[in-house]
Amino acid sequence: MAKIEHKGKAYEVDEDGFLAKGMEEWDNGWVDYVKSIEGITDMTDEHQKVIDALQEYYKKNGIAPMVRILSKTTGFPLKRIYELFPSGPGKGACKMAGLPKPTGCV
Amino acid sequence: MPKHDTPLLDQLESGPWPSFVSDLKRMAKKKDECWDILGQLELSYKDKITHWKHGGIVGVFGYGGGIVGRYSDVPDRFPGVAHFHTVRVNQPSSKFYSSKILRQICDLWEKRGSGMTNFHGSTGDLVLLGTTTPQLEPIFYDLTHDIGVDLGGSGGNLRTPSCCVGRARCEWGCYDTQAACHNITMTYQDELHRPAFPYKFKIKFSGCPNDCVASIARSDCSVIGTWKDDIRIDQKAVAGYIKGDFAPNAGAHSGRDWGKFDIQKEVIALCPTGCMKMAGDTLKIDNANCTRCMHCINVMPRALRPGKVQGASILIGAKAPILDGAQFATLIFPFIEMSTENEFPELKAIIEKCWDWWMTEGKNRERIGESIQRVGLPTFLSVMGVEPIPQHVREPRSNPYVFWKDEEVEGGFARTVKEFRIKHNL
């Protein structure tokens, strides 16, 4: 496991830059760090809404929501989610929200 | 990077088949990370276990798929493969290339990747094997700006469609498989690049039931060419086969002496429906009873051709075993028009109907074939707006657990026990 430093705080991450300990280590500094590497210029309420939806769903269900459930709960079509998170809901939003790395036949 | 000893892999350099080990060694002279590919593979041969870590999430901005991330679990010993991501590049229909574009891709890959490739992945993509995360965006930039090609699909989305060689050089193509494959790929770019489905979805195009891309086994939506009218017979050519002027199966069995061609034994008796016969010197086919299996056409390609009223059958739901067992695709539409000029409106309507339903009804990581198994074929047919026909089944059900809808039963399902007890007192 690698460590990255952002504004004086250290985070433990895997090779793909996902938080190794998940939401346990997640904080606003982490959001700021992911923003800098995932092609996001300004954090908006819409970004926050996606992150909140992902975290809430994960806390309740123990898995990340399917894409269409994320669209339904946030009201954002997939196109909007890519505008907000250029890497998409998995690599972009889940990483920023501190959820575990998506797995399977990706 | 230093060379590694590879005694086990070295054994694979002998024998007549082209050796991937020799190829890797040749490339290693130019790209020395190839020594580490060989080194890690040798270690896997020795340990009998993979040395790639679990998973890997990398990609390019704007897309949710196309690149398969991979990391070595022994990066200190083999730094050349510490990152070893795979880039899927969308291939041209039927994989016809000019040397110019291959040179461009090779130049790019030699500069930014390991130099190793897979021509092609099973789904059809041109696969560039092994590069590092920082190279991904530059590779994508060069591919799209300089070479004019895009990434293929990966993840819960439409995967890269592929097709047989079709009418490009096959006389049996019942529609233009290449045009269909290209048109569908271009139409559904969004579905291909940004995963929005419960799971992966593949489309494959075969020009005839020989199914040279194995669409019936390897695609969720299988488009197989066929015809509606009579097989075209050239009786003179039939006589030529009988006389021995033409080799049966275009000489495919010439490696062994199978005796003189016997049309009775090799064609008529092997017809699955027994709908053929010789009347004197004339070959007769009872086309109403022909299932268009292709056997007679395959044996006598100079004499027999598919009919003129051509189109395709649509079969849905093939998948590999995980989770609930392997499936071939199931016939849903026996015949649709495949109009290249109109850009395949019938096929697109079918694909979109499948997606509309499966995207709301499909469970997480459930292939459409499994969704159909779960809800039942009749439910799927009604979703697709198709009247059930005998062609939808190989045989009728043998169990009597038949569901009826309320409105199909006289009096409906609302009953009171009280009413029943008037006649059947306890």
Side-chain angles (χ1 to χ4, degrees), chain B residues 1 3 22-38 102-103 105-116:
Chain B
M1 271 152 238
K3 268 182 167 179
S22 302
D23 286 351
L24 265 161
K25 284 184 178 174
R26 203 172 59 206
M27 196 67 209
K29 286 176 193 153
K30 263 196 207 167
K31 304 280 300 179
D32 59 0
E33 59 257 55
C34 290
W35 292 126
D36 281 353
I37 304 176
L38 286 161
L102 291 176
R103 280 169 209 279
I105 289 171
C106 288
D107 286 347
L108 163 70
W109 196 236
E110 224 171 274
K111 186 168 142 204
R112 302 199 180 276
S114 71
M116 297 314 297

Side-chain angles (χ1 to χ4, degrees), chain B residues 171-374:
Chain B
E171 56 271 60
W172 301 329
C174 291
Y175 65 93
D176 190 339
T177 55
Q178 298 179 298
C181 183
H182 186 251
N183 190 291
I184 294 297
T185 306
M186 297 308 277
T187 305
Y188 299 114
Q189 285 288 296
D190 198 30
E191 286 77 4
L192 195 154
H193 293 308
R194 282 165 284 277
F197 293 166
Y199 205 9
K200 64 180 100 168
F201 191 95
K202 302 182 181 183
I203 307 177
K204 288 197 192 311
F205 300 87
S206 278
C208 80
N210 282 327
D211 200 4
C212 292
V213 279
S215 70
I216 200 169
R218 307 271 165 86
S219 62
D220 299 87
C221 175
S222 164
V223 185
I224 301 179
T226 188
W227 63 95
K228 265 211 278 208
D229 54 343
D230 294 351
I231 292 177
R232 288 175 275 177
I233 309 177
D234 175 349
Q235 297 292 352
K236 243 163 91 188
V238 173
Y241 276 103
I242 294 170
K243 234 173 83 190
D245 292 348
F246 309 129
N249 292 87
H253 306 295
S254 56
R256 194 177 143 183
D257 184 8
W258 293 91
K260 190 175 177 296
F261 175 62
D262 180 347
I263 193 168
Q264 187 61 42
K265 192 172 133 201
E266 292 174 42
V267 179
I268 294 169
L270 293 181
C271 172
T273 61
C275 72
M276 306 178 79
K277 64 176 182 200
M278 290 300 289
D281 293 339
T282 313
L283 177 67
K284 297 263 188 206
I285 301 175
D286 172 12
N287 282 280
N289 283 307
C290 167
T291 57
R292 291 148 182 82
C293 77
M294 294 297 293
H295 178 73
C296 59
I297 297 175
N298 287 341
V299 176
M300 303 193 292
R302 282 167 181 267
L304 302 176
R305 296 167 70 192
K308 281 183 185 163
V309 185
Q310 301 184 333
S313 301
I314 308 297
L315 299 86
I316 305 284
K319 56 178 278 291
I322 290 170
L323 285 165
D324 60 9
Q327 283 183 37
F328 270 18
T330 296
L331 181 77
I332 305 294
F333 294 87
F335 191 89
I336 65 162
E337 303 268 337
M338 288 293 283
S339 164
T340 308
E341 297 73 46
N342 296 330
E343 304 195 11
F344 314 100
E346 285 189 54
L347 176 61
K348 284 176 187 165
I350 290 167
I351 290 172
E352 284 166 27
K353 241 185 238 172
C354 281
W355 287 348
D356 281 349
W357 172 74
W358 179 55
M359 279 172 74
T360 40
E361 294 301 318
K363 295 185 175 178
N364 195 18
R365 296 218 177 129
E366 181 179 65
R367 294 287 285 269
I368 194 169
E370 290 165 329
S371 305
I372 295 170
Q373 289 287 314
R374 179 164 54 79

Side-chain angles (χ1 to χ4, degrees), chain A residues 16-57:
Chain A
D16 292 313
F18 279 74
L19 270 182
K21 288 181 188 154
M23 272 189 264
E24 210 177 293
E25 254 191 2
W26 179 89
D27 61 9
N28 283 331
W30 174 254
V31 173
D32 190 60
Y33 165 69
V34 175
K35 180 186 149 222
S36 69
I37 57 164
E38 289 296 340
I40 297 160
T41 39
D42 288 312
M43 277 297 286
T44 62
D45 291 349
E46 288 181 305
H47 287 96
Q48 195 58 50
K49 198 172 172 188
V50 173
I51 292 171
D52 290 347
L54 285 171
Q55 293 189 334
E56 197 181 314
Y57 191 95

